[in-house]
Amino acid sequence: MPYKSFEEYNMKVTDDVKNRYESIIKDLGEDTQREGLVKTPERAAKAMQFLTQGYDQDPVEILKTAMFKESYNEMVIVKDIELYSLCEHHILPFFGKAHIAYIPDGQIVGLSKLPRIVDVFARRLQVQERLTEQILDCINDTLKPQGVAVVIEASHMCMMMRGVQKQNSITTTSGFRGQFEKIETRNEFLKLIGK
């Protein structure tokens, strides 16, 4: 059976972006008819749509599909959530992991929804600071827990392969709401994620 891709793309957008990529590649001095580059503009157009699909997804609705009444009221942590995003300044990747905790207040959420929220916001042109805040606010405003904490650690290709070229630098951002604004709760969370 031949390979079949299940990804769907808006063909109008694909064609438009493909033509733009072809122009960029030509402007950079390459031959777009060279064997290795013939299909590159279309591949790049589809890749860009995939990497920015978060614009077409509603994170609030994702959370609402898996909220359940539950009396549990201790800390829930999902850590080491892989994330991949594009820096809005250079459209270069940044990647790393997110750690999320919340303290329920009568409602819990399906655990898989937290990584999905990370993906929705990461699959947009981003800065790490905004990404952290968007994840935090979405969970806080939708689930209405006693508190939410988000820590993101990421490596940025815009710092690693251009600009200052610092390959070993890691950027850490954090945000805390509710009970996590208390130092003892925050410290418990940071200890549990190994920070």
Side-chain angles (χ1 to χ4, degrees), residues 47-57 119-120 123-124:
M48 190 56 72
Q49 286 179 80
F50 178 82
L51 295 171
T52 60
Q53 66 184 311
Y55 290 117
D56 297 323
Q57 298 172 330
D119 284 348
V120 168
R123 297 262 166 88
R124 301 175 180 189

Side-chain angles (χ1 to χ4, degrees), residues 165-180:
Q165 298 180 42
K166 300 301 178 199
Q167 285 75 33
N168 297 311
S169 63
I170 302 287
T171 300
T172 302
T173 51
S174 62
F176 305 97
R177 298 284 187 276
Q179 292 296 318
F180 288 95

Side-chain angles (χ1 to χ4, degrees), residues 64-92:
K64 285 182 176 180
T65 63
M67 288 173 55
F68 309 100
K69 291 187 188 320
E70 190 61 53
S71 62
Y72 185 82
N73 64 357
E74 298 294 329
M75 194 180 303
V76 177
I77 300 173
V78 180
K79 67 179 193 171
D80 297 328
I81 302 167
E82 296 174 13
L83 73 85
Y84 303 92
S85 192
L86 292 173
C87 162
E88 70 180 32
H89 299 139
H90 303 98
I91 312 183
L92 288 173

